[in-house]
Amino acid sequence: MALSREQMAQRVARELQDGFYVNLGIGIPTLVANYIPEGMEVMLQSENGLLGMGPYPTNEELDADMINAGKETVTAIKGASIFSSAESFAMIRGGHVDLTVLGAFEVDVSGNIASWMIPGKLVKGMGGAMDLVAGANNIVVTMTHASKHGESKLLTQCSLPLTGAGCIKKVLTDLAYVEIAEGSFWLKERAPGVSVDEIVAKTEGEIVVPDVVPEMEF
Amino acid sequence: MALSREQMAQRVARELQDGFYVNLGIGIPTLVANYIPEGMEVMLQSENGLLGMGPYPTNEELDADMINAGKETVTAIKGASIFSSAESFAMIRGGHVDLTVLGAFEVDVSGNIASWMIPGKLVKGMGGAMDLVAGANNIVVTMTHASKHGESKLLTQCSLPLTGAGCIKKVLTDLAYVEIAEGSFWLKERAPGVSVDEIVAKTEGEIVVPDVVPEMEF
Amino acid sequence: MAGFDKVVKSYAEALAGLTDDMTIIAGGFGLCGIPEGIIAEIKSMGVKGLTFVSNNCGVDDFGLGLLLEDRQIKKMISSYVGENALFEQQFLSGELEVELTPQGTLAEKMRAGGAGIPAFYTATGYGTPVGEGKEVREFDGRPYILEESITGDFAIVKGWKADRYGNVIYRHTAQNFNPMAATAGKITIVEVEEIVEPGELDPAHIHTPGIYVNRLIQGSFEKRIEKRTVRSA
Amino acid sequence: MAGFDKVVKSYAEALAGLTDDMTIIAGGFGLCGIPEGIIAEIKSMGVKGLTFVSNNCGVDDFGLGLLLEDRQIKKMISSYVGENALFEQQFLSGELEVELTPQGTLAEKMRAGGAGIPAFYTATGYGTPVGEGKEVREFDGRPYILEESITGDFAIVKGWKADRYGNVIYRHTAQNFNPMAATAGKITIVEVEEIVEPGELDPAHIHTPGIYVNRLIQGSFEKRIEKRTVRSA
């Protein structure tokens, strides 16, 4: 069965390591914060200028001057630091963030990602996504494997305008965990009960399938 | 008679305006701080990261962590700010400093300045001088009009390696106050008792002399 | 005003010299850390044809969105401009021009503008529509695009506290784009919650040194929250 | 070390991995704000062929000057290297290579290195020996030269206080090049006067966020004064 949003977040959380500075995008990536393994410390970076983002505030803690990049009210943990947008993106662009998790419309076998613009639809902007994909060495893209109409989002070549070129190496979909290398997708894990055939059928770009594709466990 | 160092500083101080942020180089420029006209406020920038430099400390105030760009111990005035070298030169290079005063070996009719390197002699470095001359719109160069051997320092073309190209418009020497425009020096004022003929004789580059050249008053 | 006292008496004085078709660099992220009183004054002045360099354009009835009501904005240079129906309408009708710029590039363009750096290379946007028409150059085998800096006729900034000399500190994440905006205006106006005397702020903790600030005014702020997310205690 | 605790137990641990011929970015201006204990450890390690990126090279018997005694430095990238007879001697004999870089360009190269900006344009040095061989480009009618960023295998930094997570604040003008150096090392080591617990420093006043810091050690400092200038009270 396809992974739920929570399962996707849970699987991405396995990419975390103790002491990682992590930037989580809006949507499923945000949920990853709920699955940080016990005993592991991870610090969340919010690109509007906060390192050490804490949980949502209580009503008493609520403060209009303390928000995250999604414009939600948040708190700061002990040991947080707060800084300008220029400093924040110096961190991001300079490769100091250990892991970035974000959503996408499409990825392709060259590691290209399209996540911000659908021609003909109103374009709201890329926000910090282009900086995040250009700056991070370690990115996990989370998205459904195929569109509602069954069209693959793992392509030979992205059809939508790119967010970044050649920067994606790890993709977690609701069906599989896939890595990108040498111009191909490499199937690494499959969702529980999802067949390799289904994954291959829903992957438009070339995908390398090993003899054994372990099922994810939850 | 040629101006004394103190008189040179005094004359440069007349270029100050209320509310000016000023960077003063080592030597005669430093003395300018002693001649800030009464009732006028001027704030001194030191390029190692201090805006609002105060006087030398008393023995009790002495602090190894509070120095100026000449590595002298100093104090900070009320309302000072302290910042990194990158921020300091952002101010300088970004043209936010209102007046820069610095010494030189030579200037020429094109506004070039040479102040940091004499080939054959040991080169200690340019420090912040190249940034200061490139960043300031308003620079006063202070130097003797001629070398000890009587060679002019106001040239058609600088003979020494440049500190900056085309950036100098005002020069105060011990003999005259000269401006640079349209590829010439323009004689504006002369030191008390110094003849126009002496100034012209000691100026190698083309110099435009008006009918009347007022004497400086002290 | 004498010496370094940057305090002005009114919003009119703060915005003196602002005319049609000028470019304004604005601090703020969403509705967080925006100079509310300055924006209100720009609205009441009625100047038109403005170009705003700002990460966002507020919401329909708050922040820079207020300036859309009388069609005062000609162009936005922003990274994200959702959350605004009036914006959408003026954009789709072609009345409003939008230059989308990645958030980090936008911050760096403002900083560079204030710091005398006319242009810099960044990997951000390479191979995307943002990189189209821009010079590409490789460093160490990786392609980067050339981005030019931005300055404005005015910069409008929201601070927390400032001393009379214009030394500003920001509160929490209301800092965001404000420090860079402050450096990039020919005339920089800062609106703060509290003005204190020189010497009251620690020199080592000044976010924006007074050298960047031309005019300072104390405002009162609604501080509207865009997305109120809370947890139970 | 677990989680974000950056504190190391010894200078040996702080400098683990430093080997011959590496590049080190160093904070400090003259003898002000230099990581004294880290420099002492580099001396006692005896590593050679080092390239230092540092505004100055200390004096004969203090600061980076100490590393000249055993000829550990191959190259200095600095803006000013006077005040040092041993330096002069090794430079004139050709043992020591020097790349003079304008002070502001040096600071910006470090910042750019840490910030993922591979190169930027600056007017500083145009038309001078510094500009020779560098690309010249006009923006808005003015010529600028292209300068590339700098990063190092290690960065060595002197802070005042830091929390265990590596959030650092600097004291007075001992800040200088330290914040930029901290961003530009593959491994950044910070030596401070005092280590405090997370939460003791105000998040809004952190000069160097812990994300840039790999190793943190508490030192004791002589803080030698280069030019003691005093006035009578």
Side-chain angles (χ1 to χ4, degrees), chain C residues 91-118:
Chain C
F91 175 60
L92 291 176
S93 73
E95 288 173 279
L96 181 61
E97 191 184 341
V98 178
E99 186 177 319
L100 289 172
T101 303
Q103 198 172 131
T105 297
L106 187 65
E108 193 68 12
K109 277 170 170 266
M110 290 185 191
R111 182 203 175 260
I117 302 288

Side-chain angles (χ1 to χ4, degrees), chain B residues 100-218:
Chain B
T100 290
V101 185
L102 78 173
F105 301 142
E106 300 173 347
V107 296
D108 70 25
V109 295
S110 304
N112 296 325
I113 173 172
S115 66
W116 71 287
M117 182 184 178
I118 299 181
K121 275 199 166 181
L122 186 74
V123 180
K124 292 188 169 184
M126 69 292 282
M130 286 192 183
D131 305 280
L132 281 160
V133 298
N137 293 311
N138 189 11
I139 304 170
V140 180
V141 168
T142 63
M143 61 179 190
T144 57
H145 208 96
S147 73
K148 285 172 194 163
H149 312 294
E151 287 158 341
S152 177
K153 295 179 172 184
L154 285 82
L155 306 174
T156 303
Q157 192 170 3
C158 287
S159 66
L160 299 170
L162 298 187
T163 309
C167 48
I168 306 300
K169 299 196 190 90
K170 300 175 180 176
V171 184
L172 180 78
T173 73
D174 53 343
L175 303 184
Y177 173 64
V178 167
E179 291 184 359
I180 302 174
E182 299 164 31
S184 290
F185 296 115
W186 296 69
L187 181 57
K188 293 291 179 181
E189 299 171 30
R190 57 201 169 94
V194 171
S195 71
V196 168
D197 286 352
E198 181 183 350
I199 294 165
V200 170
K202 288 185 173 167
T203 304
E204 191 255 356
E206 182 178 316
I207 184 163
V208 180
V209 180
D211 291 343
V212 179
V213 182
E215 274 190 6
M216 296 174 201
E217 289 177 19
F218 291 93

Side-chain angles (χ1 to χ4, degrees), chain B residues 56 63 65 73 124 131 134, chain D residues 81 104 171 173 223 229 231:
Chain B
Y56 292 143
D63 189 327
D65 288 337
T73 47
K124 292 188 169 184
D131 305 280
Chain D
V81 289
R171 188 165 175 276
T173 60
K223 292 197 187 178
T229 46
R231 66 187 158 93

Side-chain angles (χ1 to χ4, degrees), chain A residues 50 53-57 61 63 66-68 72-76, chain C residues 173 229:
Chain A
L50 171 59
M53 180 165 63
Y56 293 143
E61 292 169 333
D63 189 326
M66 186 63 95
I67 66 169
N68 66 14
E72 300 171 326
T73 47
V74 293
T75 55
Chain C
T173 60
T229 44

Side-chain angles (χ1 to χ4, degrees), chain A residues 145-156:
Chain A
H145 208 96
S147 73
K148 285 174 196 163
H149 312 294
E151 287 158 344
S152 178
K153 296 180 172 183
L154 285 80
L155 306 174
T156 303

Side-chain angles (χ1 to χ4, degrees), chain A residues 43 46 48-53 63 65-67 74-77 79-85 87-88 91, chain C residues 32 170-176 179 207, chain D residues 167 201-210:
Chain A
M43 206 177 286
S46 189
N48 58 318
L50 171 59
L51 181 68
M53 180 165 63
D63 189 326
D65 288 337
M66 186 63 95
I67 66 169
V74 293
T75 55
I77 63 164
S81 53
I82 296 173
F83 33 79
S84 72
S85 301
E87 179 64 49
S88 184
M91 279 174 201
Chain C
C32 182
Y170 304 97
R171 189 165 174 278
H172 300 337
T173 60
Q175 182 170 164
N176 56 60
H207 292 122
Chain D
N167 293 303
L201 303 176
D202 184 336
H205 294 152
I206 302 298
H207 293 122
T208 292

Side-chain angles (χ1 to χ4, degrees), chain C residues 65-83:
Chain C
L66 290 169
L67 306 181
L68 294 169
E69 292 170 359
D70 302 319
R71 296 180 160 63
Q72 294 179 265
I73 305 179
K74 183 181 68 183
K75 181 177 177 180
M76 288 298 307
I77 300 175
S78 304
S79 89
Y80 190 80
V81 290
E83 339 292 3

